[in-house]
Amino acid sequence: MAINTNSVFFCVFVTVVGFFFLFHLPQSCNAHPLKICDFDEIYQLGDSISDTGNLIREAPIGAALPFGRLPYGQNFFNNATGRCSNGLLMIDYFALASGLPYLNPYKNIEADFRHGVNFAVAGSTALSTLKLAAKNISSPVTASSLNVQLDWMSTHFKSTCHNNRDCVEKLKKSLFMVGEIGGNDYNYALFQRKSIEEVKTIVPNVVHAIKDAVRKVIHHGAIRVIVPGNFPIGCFPIYLTGFKTDDSAAYDEHYCLKALNDFSIYHNDHLQRAIEELKQEHPNAVIVYGDYYNSFKWLFQNAPYLGFNASTAQKACCGTGGDYNFDMTRMCGAPDVPVCAESNKFISWDGVHLTQEAYKFMAGKLIHDIFPQLQCIV
């Protein structure tokens, strides 16, 4: 169903009573869950979970990426926009919930940035490529790490604000999303065969980079900041395929890899402690943890009640091969890689990223949980 963002409101209402869930799809109505916050703009830093078109505009790699062509985007836009999904992302639903248009990517120089900017780049990392290289971790997709995105943000504000005081005043009614970021630092390390214990050693560095990013956006004038954590990566087809084992003890009751999920919890625990420290440093700012881990687990564990096919909960819609429809050497967008007929029945789109349907439910759960913490009603 196509949505006219100039006139259509987005309603999210999640009710949990036992195992019954009601989620209202995008439709015409008079209530925006985040409209009470009266946001004028949204600013996004991050990676492929939230990139709306920056990576595909980065030469020379952008033109060759599958995210810039069908089947990406096929189930909403009817063409690819650079989003790593078959349609909308969570940031799109956050914008709709705020009564705002979708965020345009910073690299689209002809775009309208009156309601915010998306600086996120698919494949980006929290640590710079140089810092990762010093730890013998290569970053093969992009050099536009978190510090680069922060530089873009600074450049943007210099062009739109007369001075820092002017920016502080203008950004009082803005929402800042710092992440999800850091997932690729770990993805690259783990698939370059670093052990989980080795990768744990970079968690403090990653969290410090995120913490420093929050400080910088607050310096620009941010008052409300959401800092998302990492997903339970042990439930994703890419990891279930790459780290498949015959050891049944390695899996939990949902057949997710326990050690990888425990690693995500390890990162998220460090991040939440950093957020508490930031709250002490900046008592006038509202800094909220975005619980991607438990929002995904809620979605995953209740998939049948939300309309997903239980038999495909861990399979990619767009992909081929093995138990999870995923092959690292023949991923979604490659020639002759099939796409499922009913993407709304799948949680995973391409084995790495989620479908629009999954992002819709996750966004609804997050908005439901985060809204009271944003302190929009005094």
Side-chain angles (χ1 to χ4, degrees):
M1 177 177 64
I3 297 177
N4 181 343
T5 58
N6 294 322
S7 61
V8 176
F9 300 109
F10 174 61
C11 296
V12 179
F13 176 65
V14 180
T15 300
V16 183
V17 181
F19 288 106
F20 294 95
F21 300 83
L22 298 176
F23 188 98
H24 291 183
L25 301 177
Q27 57 184 293
S28 296
C29 64
N30 293 319
H32 300 249
L34 297 179
K35 190 66 181 290
I36 295 171
C37 297
D38 199 24
F39 295 130
D40 287 335
E41 305 99 9
I42 299 176
Y43 296 97
Q44 172 80 61
L45 299 159
D47 56 23
S48 60
I49 304 303
S50 46
D51 183 1
T52 56
N54 283 314
L55 182 62
I56 63 168
R57 290 175 169 83
E58 288 193 351
I61 192 173
L65 290 169
F67 315 132
R69 60 179 183 270
L70 293 172
Y72 285 85
Q74 69 173 22
N75 295 110
F76 186 84
F77 299 99
N78 296 318
N79 66 280
T81 63
R83 288 167 171 82
C84 298
S85 181
N86 60 317
L88 298 177
L89 307 178
M90 282 190 285
I91 185 57
D92 295 312
Y93 287 112
F94 267 77
L96 286 168
S98 302
L100 298 174
Y102 304 134
L103 293 190
N104 285 314
Y106 177 74
K107 287 289 187 177
N108 184 357
I109 58 175
E110 298 177 352
D112 181 353
F113 296 131
R114 286 177 296 174
H115 295 289
V117 187
N118 192 329
F119 300 100
V121 183
S124 65
T125 52
L127 300 178
S128 70
T129 54
L130 290 176
K131 288 183 179 179
L132 287 171
K135 299 177 184 297
N136 296 314
I137 301 168
S138 65
S139 180
V141 178
T142 179
S144 299
S145 54
L146 183 56
N147 63 320
V148 173
Q149 295 176 34
L150 287 164
D151 287 344
W152 293 347
M153 179 178 284
S154 180
T155 298
H156 173 74
F157 289 144
K158 285 177 182 176
S159 70
T160 56
C161 303
H162 297 300
N163 50 46
N164 188 63
R165 179 176 293 182
D166 182 42
C167 249
V168 168
E169 187 61 32
K170 285 182 177 179
L171 297 177
K172 282 182 178 178
K173 296 172 69 176
S174 299
L175 175 65
F176 283 74
M177 303 284 293
V178 180
E180 179 272 335
I181 191 75
N184 285 323
D185 302 60
Y186 308 140
N187 293 338
Y188 298 147
L190 289 165
F191 279 97
Q192 288 164 33
R193 295 306 167 188
K194 305 285 186 186
S195 70
I196 289 178
E197 290 306 311
E198 285 180 283
V199 182
K200 278 185 176 180
T201 65
I202 72 169
V203 169
N205 304 99
V206 168
V207 170
H208 178 78
I210 298 169
K211 189 176 180 182
D212 190 51
V214 175
R215 289 191 182 109
K216 288 179 179 177
V217 301
I218 290 173
H219 174 74
H220 282 304
I223 292 178
R224 287 182 172 83
V225 185
I226 296 174
V227 188
N230 203 357
F231 292 83
I233 58 174
C235 299
F236 281 49
I238 182 174
Y239 277 103
L240 289 165
T241 300
F243 292 82
K244 187 177 180 180
T245 175
D246 292 330
D247 180 9
S248 60
Y251 298 90
D252 65 15
E253 69 274 23
H254 302 290
Y255 210 71
C256 297
L257 288 160
K258 291 190 288 189
L260 288 164
N261 281 357
D262 287 345
F263 173 77
S264 292
I265 292 171
Y266 183 80
H267 164 85
N268 291 341
D269 286 346
H270 276 71
L271 182 62
Q272 288 176 82
R273 286 196 291 271
I275 290 171
E276 291 306 312
E277 292 166 3
L278 285 165
K279 289 178 178 179
Q280 296 298 315
E281 288 179 24
H282 302 280
N284 294 323
V286 177
I287 308 168
V288 178
Y289 173 64
D291 195 350
Y292 282 16
Y293 187 97
N294 283 307
S295 293
F296 180 86
K297 283 197 72 176
W298 169 83
L299 165 74
F300 185 73
Q301 292 170 4
N302 296 287
Y305 307 99
L306 298 170
F308 296 101
N309 190 330
S311 66
T312 60
Q314 289 178 307
K315 294 184 178 183
C317 166
C318 179
T320 187
D323 294 332
Y324 307 101
N325 288 350
F326 183 82
D327 183 340
M328 187 74 83
T329 65
R330 291 185 63 217
M331 294 177 66
C332 183
D336 301 321
V337 172
V339 181
C340 68
E342 295 182 291
S343 61
N344 62 324
K345 301 293 184 183
F346 282 70
I347 292 173
S348 178
W349 164 242
D350 59 7
V352 184
H353 310 96
L354 307 188
T355 59
Q356 171 179 281
E357 191 77 358
Y359 281 138
K360 179 192 72 179
F361 281 108
M362 269 198 69
K365 181 71 165 67
L366 286 161
I367 291 167
H368 176 268
D369 293 344
I370 285 171
F371 174 73
Q373 300 174 63
L374 287 174
Q375 301 176 31
C376 296
I377 303 174
V378 180

